[in-house]
C-alpha cells in the first residue's frame, strides 16, 4: 500500500491533500477495498519522507470524509461504505 501513494513535491497542492486525494481515488477505483489496513501514520510518513503530523492530518481528513476508520490498538482501515 505504501508504494501506492506518490507525492509531487513540486505541486502547489499541500502534501496532506495529495495523500487524501490519492487514497480516495484508489478506494473509488477498487484498488483499496473495505477492511484493507493502511500503514500507521509513522510508517507512512517514513515511507513518504514526510512529517508524521502531515499523514495524521490526511488520515483525519479521510476519517472525517468517511473513507477510513481508525480502531484503537488495531489500526486504520478502509471504511465499509
Amino acid at each position: 500500500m505504501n508504494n501506492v501513494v506518490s507525492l509531487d513535491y513540486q505541486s502547489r497542492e499541500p502534501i496532506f491533500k495529495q495523500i487524501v486525494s490519492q487514497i480516495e481515488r484508489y478506494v473509488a477505483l477498487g484498488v483499496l477495498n473495505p477492511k484493507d489496513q493502511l500503514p500507521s501514520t509513522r510508517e507512512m510518513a517514513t515511507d513518504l519522507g514526510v512529517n508524521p503530523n502531515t499523514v495524521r492530518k490526511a488520515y483525519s481528513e479521510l476519517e472525517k470524509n468517511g473513507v477510513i476508520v481508525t480502531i484503537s490498538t488495531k489500526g486504520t482501515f478502509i471504511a465499509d461504505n
Side-chain angles (χ1 to χ4, degrees), residues 55-75:
V55 178
R56 235 175 254 118
K57 189 172 181 180
Y59 278 16
S60 172
E61 182 90 5
L62 286 162
E63 198 154 14
K64 193 175 74 185
N65 296 346
V67 177
I68 63 172
V69 289
T70 301
I71 301 167
S72 183
T73 71
K74 297 222 185 293

Side-chain angles (χ1 to χ4, degrees), residues 14-72:
I15 288 174
F16 88 94
K17 288 260 192 215
Q18 290 182 47
I19 296 170
V20 169
S21 60
Q22 286 188 43
I23 291 175
E24 286 176 337
R25 188 172 75 233
Y26 290 127
V27 168
L29 292 172
V31 175
L32 293 173
N33 300 301
K35 296 190 171 82
D36 282 355
Q37 186 167 8
L38 294 176
S40 70
T41 52
R42 192 174 304 256
E43 224 181 306
M44 172 89 78
T46 301
D47 290 348
L48 295 175
V50 299
N51 189 305
N53 289 331
T54 303
V55 178
R56 235 175 254 118
K57 189 172 181 180
Y59 278 16
S60 172
E61 182 90 5
L62 286 162
E63 198 154 14
K64 193 175 74 185
N65 296 346
V67 177
I68 63 172
V69 289
T70 301
I71 301 167
S72 183

